[in-house]
């Protein structure tokens, strides 16, 4: 089973397909139909095929109604998750999905990515995903059927729409994340809807930041209307999220006819459309089911829609990646739009139909280098969720949750995983264009059974502190420092004055005097004090907890870098109560800190992890300064610093220590018992991710 996304709200976003059948002619399965595929000639695909027909190392995720993975013109080009054992009932690659050999059905929670013919299905909707897949990568030169715009690019089929053609934003967002985490290079979205979703927007941002191109269709006239609408002031999604992004993260495509004119049925609009491509009179593969009379054919023609224009563009991008697989989404969008062909426009489409008509040859010639061309397609799959995910110990704590954010990389999201490391949710805490990462902690601010997330913007962003619940609802949001400050914020929360109300404690992560600020929940500054020498500007880490059981939480700080590795304990008035030299006086890489009852004496101990430059040294100290635990969390050559947290993760009644490496190392979360013995590990992102991660556990 996949993980179930838990939300307070149910998203009522309905998406509809952007391709449709005008007049259908059922074709015999043995006929060659390349002569009917005028659109391939129009975009100059055969000229590019002289150099490459695509590489099987390139993967396009087709999010749609499902794909017939056994279709004779597609089966050789269906993505295979080689780390998964078929039909054994186990999640072999530990990516959160059982038996996902060829993809996943996010509508019906199924490992089969084929269309599901429910009682209200329509034939055209059931066929839609298979039709799109054939446009992209129907096998060439097999003496049957059609040619895809690529010959052997792999299709990752992900079901996000039912066989009526409807679906919700939560499934789409989760499918995009799945595609990114499992090695897709391109995501094709041949649908659109009217409602917005923070989860979906966040997943698109995540894809872009991780080098995955998202291609979306403009949509078509619906509800009996004869002409498409102007999306400029009446946007649909996902294609129009680009109106809100600071970067162009989605390649939006509308449909043209044989005369290079914008079709009457396609939507258009400034800020949403980047490119035009043919979208009329298509022939392609369809779903075949010998048990049902409606699905006896393998091919069909006469299809029209921006769905198919988007599919052509996705395939074109795959051809470019086959010429240079280092190309990022930004470059792919730039090349495809700038190297486009001539459109014949009516006045109403001026500045609302993108840069021009797709011309694959012009774009290909722009980036082509024989030395970079992938000449020998290889049968390979990329599972970037990491097959190293390892669970060694049974977890008795079914309520356990792991919270993960990125230290950098432009994401303002928190990923929440359950005790089996299945992703439950991805919360967009602060928009990615507001900052460059998140520092997070948890605190019981509103007593309701769940702790809340206290997030501070990491270095490079506006110094927000934001408190959100586990559903993403904002409880509090304010600036901890001047808006021009970009050094990052570390924040913690607790009742530091014993008045029964939670305070927010904020410190600079870098580039500022060592000032500790105490705010009420509304962001009103109550007190502040200086924790180290006033000239110190290396930043601090902070946690809050009652170390001496006096009903008042102490404020514990440690240097981020540049001075003696002293951990200091203060009361809310800034009075120093205790200090501990955590590491050698010669070490100046800083100290990461956490609080937990390590030795089961009903008192909190201080857990430390060495900062950048030191070995991955984790320790725990009592309030009296006595060292209780000392171990190396990673290999001695890992010098990027160690984040630490404490919690009874496995539910055995004893505290566990959770670690994560800093920026420059992979996203390798490890779990140790209170004595420092390794228990289990987890990789929340691809092994190529090196931006550093923050962790919390509840």
């Amino acid at each position: 089973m996949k993980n179930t996304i838990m939300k307070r709200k149910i998203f009522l976003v309905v998406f509809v397909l952007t391709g449709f059948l005008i007049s259908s002619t059922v074709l015999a399965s043995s006929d060659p139909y390349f002569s009917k595929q005028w659109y391939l000639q129009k975009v100059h695909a055969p000229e590019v095929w002289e150099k490459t027909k695509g590489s099987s190392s390139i993967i396009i995720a087709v999010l749609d109604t499902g794909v017939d993975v056994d279709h004779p013109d597609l089966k050789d080009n269906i993505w295979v998750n080689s780390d998964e054992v078929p039909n054994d009932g186990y999640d072999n690659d530990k990516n959160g999905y059982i038996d996902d050999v060829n993809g996943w059905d996010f509508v019906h929670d199924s490992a089969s990515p084929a269309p599901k013919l429910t009682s209200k299905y329509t034939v055209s909707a059931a066929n839609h995903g298979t039709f799109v897949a054939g446009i992209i990568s129907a096998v060439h030169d097999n003496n049957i059927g059609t040619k895809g715009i690529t010959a052997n690019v792999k299709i990752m089929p992900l079901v996000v729409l039912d066989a009526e053609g409807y679906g919700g934003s939560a499934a789409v967002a989760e499918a995009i994340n799945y595609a990114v985490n499992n090695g897709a290079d391109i995501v094709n979205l041949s649908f659109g809807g009217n409602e917005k979703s923070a989860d979906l927007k966040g997943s698109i941002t995540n894809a872009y930041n991780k080098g995955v191109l998202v291609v979306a269709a403009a949509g078509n006239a619906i509800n009996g209307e004869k002409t498409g609408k102007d999306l400029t002031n009446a946007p649909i999604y996902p294609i129009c999220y680009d109106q809100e992004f600071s970067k162009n993260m989605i390649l939006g495509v509308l449909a043209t006819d044989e005369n290079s004119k914008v079709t009457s049925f396609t939507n258009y609009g400034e800020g949403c459309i980047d490119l035009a491509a043919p979208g009329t009179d298509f022939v392609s593969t369809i779903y075949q089911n010998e048990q049902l009379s409606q699905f006896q054919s393998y091919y069909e023609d006469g299809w029209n829609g921006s769905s198919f224009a988007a599919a052509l563009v996705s395939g074109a991008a795959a051809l470019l990646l086959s010429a240079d697989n280092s190309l990022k989404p930004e470059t792919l969008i730039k090349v495809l739009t700038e190297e486009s062909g001539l459109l014949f426009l009516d006045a109403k489409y001026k500045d609302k139909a993108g840069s021009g008509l797709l011309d694959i040859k012009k774009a290909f010639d722009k980036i082509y280098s024989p030395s970079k061309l992938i000449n020998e397609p290889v049968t390979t799959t990329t599972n970037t969720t990491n097959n190293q995910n390892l669970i060694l110990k049974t977890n008795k704590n079914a309520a356990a949750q792991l919270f993960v954010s990125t230290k950098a990389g432009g994401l303002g999201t928190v990923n929440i995983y359950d005790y089996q490391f299945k992703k439950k949710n991805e919360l967009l805490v602060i928009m990615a264009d507001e900052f460059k990462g998140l520092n997070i902690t948890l605190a019981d601010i509103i007593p309701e059974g769940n702790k809340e997330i206290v997030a501070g913007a990491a270095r490079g962003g506006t110094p927000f502190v934001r408190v959100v619940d586990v559903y993403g609802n904002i409880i509090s949001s304010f600036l901890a420092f001047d808006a021009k400050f970009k050094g990052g914020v570390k924040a913690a929360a607790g009742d530091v004055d014993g008045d029964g109300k939670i305070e927010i404690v904020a410190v600079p992560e870098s580039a500022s005097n060592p000032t500790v600020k105490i705010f009420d929940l509304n962001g009103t500054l109550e007190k502040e004090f200086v924790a180290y020498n006033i000239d110190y500007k290396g930043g601090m880490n902070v946690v809050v907890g009652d170390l001496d059981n006096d009903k008042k939480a102490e404020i514990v700080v440690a240097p981020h870098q540049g001075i003696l590795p002293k951990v200091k304990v203060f009361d809310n008035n800034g009075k120093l109560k205790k200090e501990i030299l955590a590491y050698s006086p010669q070490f100046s890489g800083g100290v990461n800190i956490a609080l937990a009852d390590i030795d089961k004496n009903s008192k909190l101990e201080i857990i430390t992890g060495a900062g950048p430059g030191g070995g991955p040294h984790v320790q725990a100290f009592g309030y009296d300064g006595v060292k209780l635990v000392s171990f190396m969390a990673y290999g001695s050559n890992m010098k990027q610093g160690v984040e630490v947290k404490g919690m009874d993760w496995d539910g055995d009644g004893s505290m566990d220590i959770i670690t994560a490496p800093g920026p420059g190392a992979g996203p390798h979360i490890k779990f140790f018992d209170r004595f420092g013995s390794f228990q289990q590990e987890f990789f929340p992102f691809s092994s190529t991710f090196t931006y550093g991660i923050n962790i919390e556990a509840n």
Side-chain angles (χ1 to χ4, degrees):
M1 301 289 287
K2 70 172 180 64
N3 71 55
T4 300
I5 298 179
M6 304 298 294
K7 292 184 173 71
R8 179 171 290 174
K9 297 179 180 178
I10 297 175
F11 288 92
L12 300 177
V13 181
V14 175
F15 294 100
V16 297
L17 296 169
T18 54
F20 54 95
L21 181 64
I22 295 292
S23 62
S24 169
T25 301
V26 177
L27 306 171
S29 64
S30 61
D31 294 339
Y33 306 130
F34 177 60
S35 62
K36 291 178 173 286
Q37 294 180 278
W38 65 269
Y39 40 88
L40 295 176
Q41 305 286 343
K42 189 74 166 181
V43 299
H44 306 290
E47 295 166 66
V48 175
W49 295 344
E50 295 175 4
K51 292 191 171 62
T52 182
K53 294 182 179 181
S55 168
S56 60
S57 65
I58 306 301
I59 301 169
I60 297 180
V62 174
L63 280 62
D64 215 286
T65 59
V67 174
D68 183 355
V69 298
D70 296 318
H71 195 289
D73 229 1
L74 294 174
K75 62 182 182 179
D76 291 339
N77 287 342
I78 299 298
W79 172 75
V80 176
N81 181 359
S82 60
D83 293 324
E84 196 73 15
V85 178
N87 304 315
D88 69 346
Y90 293 94
D91 183 12
N92 306 103
D93 61 355
K94 302 296 186 296
N95 72 346
Y97 301 84
I98 295 173
D99 293 332
D100 57 320
V101 176
N102 296 129
W104 192 264
D105 183 336
F106 293 88
V107 176
H108 305 94
D109 195 10
S110 166
S112 169
K116 307 297 189 298
L117 303 181
T118 59
S119 59
K120 295 182 179 180
Y121 77 86
T122 66
V123 173
S124 59
N127 284 331
H128 193 272
T130 304
F131 199 94
V132 167
I135 293 169
I136 295 172
S137 197
V139 176
H140 286 204
D141 304 320
N142 58 355
N143 297 316
I144 61 171
T146 62
K147 293 181 183 289
I149 192 170
T150 75
N152 50 7
V153 164
K154 297 304 181 187
I155 298 294
M156 178 189 288
L158 304 175
V159 182
V160 298
L161 306 173
D162 63 25
E164 288 186 83
Y166 296 96
S169 63
V172 178
E174 189 176 1
I176 292 174
N177 291 332
Y178 176 98
V180 171
N181 292 335
N182 289 276
D185 302 285
I186 299 165
V187 173
N188 185 87
L189 307 176
S190 289
F191 51 78
N194 292 322
E195 301 295 329
K196 300 172 68 175
S197 161
D199 284 349
L200 179 54
K201 189 175 181 179
S203 69
I204 293 170
T205 302
N206 181 46
Y208 181 89
N209 288 327
K210 292 186 177 179
V212 178
L213 176 67
V214 176
V215 180
N220 314 310
I222 58 174
N223 298 326
E225 298 176 356
K226 295 182 179 180
T227 59
K229 67 178 180 178
D230 188 342
L231 304 178
T232 307
N233 299 311
I236 66 169
Y237 304 96
I239 190 172
C240 290
Y241 280 127
D242 264 349
Q243 293 180 337
E244 303 176 15
F245 291 137
S246 59
K247 299 178 180 178
N248 188 1
M249 298 187 186
I250 305 170
L251 183 52
V253 186
L254 60 68
T256 58
D257 62 20
E258 291 186 71
N259 298 314
S260 302
K261 292 183 176 181
V262 176
T263 65
S264 61
F265 61 76
T266 189
N267 295 332
Y268 56 96
E270 189 174 3
C272 301
I273 307 301
D274 299 292
L275 192 63
T280 62
D281 201 19
F282 272 63
V283 57
S284 187
T285 52
I286 56 174
Y287 174 62
Q288 198 276 337
N289 187 326
E290 62 183 18
Q291 304 299 319
L292 298 171
S293 60
Q294 307 94 311
F295 301 102
Q296 292 298 300
S297 299
Y298 287 91
Y299 303 89
E300 201 165 65
D301 71 359
W303 284 66
N304 302 262
S306 59
S307 285
F308 317 128
L312 279 181
V313 172
S314 290
L319 291 175
L320 298 188
L321 285 174
S322 299
D324 185 352
N325 61 7
S326 69
L327 298 175
K328 301 300 183 185
E330 179 180 6
T331 304
L332 288 168
I333 294 172
K334 179 180 176 65
V335 172
L336 285 166
T337 55
E338 291 185 355
E339 303 300 320
S340 56
L342 183 64
L343 268 178
F344 297 97
L345 297 176
D346 294 334
K348 75 173 186 176
Y349 299 117
K350 187 177 185 301
D351 299 322
K352 297 179 180 181
S355 63
L357 183 69
L358 173 66
D359 188 328
I360 305 174
K361 185 177 185 304
K362 287 177 64 177
F364 187 89
D365 290 344
K366 184 73 173 180
I367 57 93
Y368 174 63
S369 170
S371 64
K372 293 184 177 181
L373 184 66
I374 307 174
N375 288 308
E376 297 295 331
V378 293
T379 304
T380 181
T381 59
T382 305
N383 186 352
T384 57
T385 308
N386 240 296
N387 60 11
Q388 298 158 316
N389 285 356
L390 180 65
I391 301 176
L392 299 176
K393 186 176 180 180
T394 301
N395 195 335
K396 301 176 182 178
N397 185 5
Q401 297 184 107
L402 184 68
F403 297 72
V404 180
S405 68
T406 62
K407 285 182 172 292
L411 296 179
T413 58
V414 176
N415 293 333
I416 305 175
Y417 301 88
D418 68 10
Y419 71 105
Q420 295 179 319
F421 302 127
K422 296 179 179 179
K423 186 187 287 189
K424 296 176 60 179
N425 208 346
E426 183 172 359
L427 304 178
L428 183 62
V429 178
I430 306 176
M431 291 301 301
D433 57 2
E434 293 179 304
F435 65 91
K436 306 299 182 182
L438 274 184
N439 300 310
I440 59 172
T441 189
L442 299 179
D444 192 9
I445 293 174
I446 301 177
E448 62 173 0
N450 289 306
K451 290 184 178 180
E452 283 69 46
I453 301 168
V454 182
R459 283 176 288 180
T462 304
F464 279 103
V465 171
R466 186 162 289 176
V467 181
V468 302
D469 65 18
V470 294
Y471 306 100
N473 299 308
I474 297 175
I475 297 169
S476 175
S477 182
F478 59 90
L479 292 177
F481 301 96
D482 184 273
K484 295 180 180 179
F485 175 68
K486 303 295 184 181
V489 183
K490 292 290 188 76
D495 182 7
V496 299
D497 55 11
D499 66 351
K501 299 178 181 179
I502 297 295
E503 285 79 37
I504 307 293
V505 181
V507 301
E509 187 178 10
S510 66
S512 180
N513 296 330
T515 303
V516 179
K517 292 189 174 187
I518 304 172
F519 300 88
D520 68 13
L521 191 57
N522 297 316
T524 301
L525 181 64
E526 294 185 343
K527 293 181 181 179
E528 62 181 299
F529 61 88
V530 175
Y532 296 93
N533 187 295
I534 190 64
D535 296 326
Y536 170 63
K537 298 183 183 297
M540 294 181 288
N541 298 306
V542 62
V543 291
V544 170
D546 187 0
L547 278 77
D548 55 8
N549 292 337
D550 66 349
K551 308 301 182 183
K552 295 181 181 179
E554 279 72 43
I555 300 169
V556 185
V557 299
H560 193 266
Q561 62 178 0
I563 58 174
L564 285 173
K566 281 187 178 181
V567 178
K568 292 188 175 186
V569 182
F570 297 91
D571 66 13
N572 70 304
N573 294 309
K575 179 182 177 181
L576 181 64
K577 301 180 68 173
K578 183 73 66 174
E579 63 179 22
I580 299 170
L581 186 66
Y583 298 100
S584 166
Q586 285 73 46
F587 177 64
S588 59
V591 184
N592 297 311
I593 49 177
L595 302 176
D597 182 11
I598 294 295
D599 58 0
K600 304 172 73 173
N601 67 347
S602 299
K603 294 182 180 179
L604 294 174
E605 283 78 46
I606 299 171
I607 308 171
T608 68
H617 194 182
V618 176
Q619 301 183 114
F621 299 87
Y623 190 51
D624 56 5
V626 174
K627 188 184 297 182
L628 304 175
V629 180
S630 179
F631 64 93
M632 293 293 183
Y634 304 92
S636 59
N637 61 339
M638 205 283 283
K639 305 288 187 182
Q640 288 82 8
V642 185
E643 292 287 331
V644 289
K645 290 293 182 293
M647 178 196 169
D648 182 12
W649 174 259
D650 54 19
D652 67 352
S654 294
M655 196 62 58
D656 301 295
I657 298 173
I658 309 170
T659 67
H668 190 178
I669 298 174
K670 298 180 80 171
F671 296 75
F672 301 86
D673 66 16
R674 65 191 183 98
F675 303 107
S677 296
F678 172 76
Q679 299 295 299
Q680 53 190 326
E681 61 188 356
F682 171 55
F683 296 78
F685 305 115
S686 163
S687 60
T688 60
F689 178 89
T690 58
Y691 292 111
I693 54 179
N694 293 290
I695 51 172
E696 261 293 359
N698 182 26

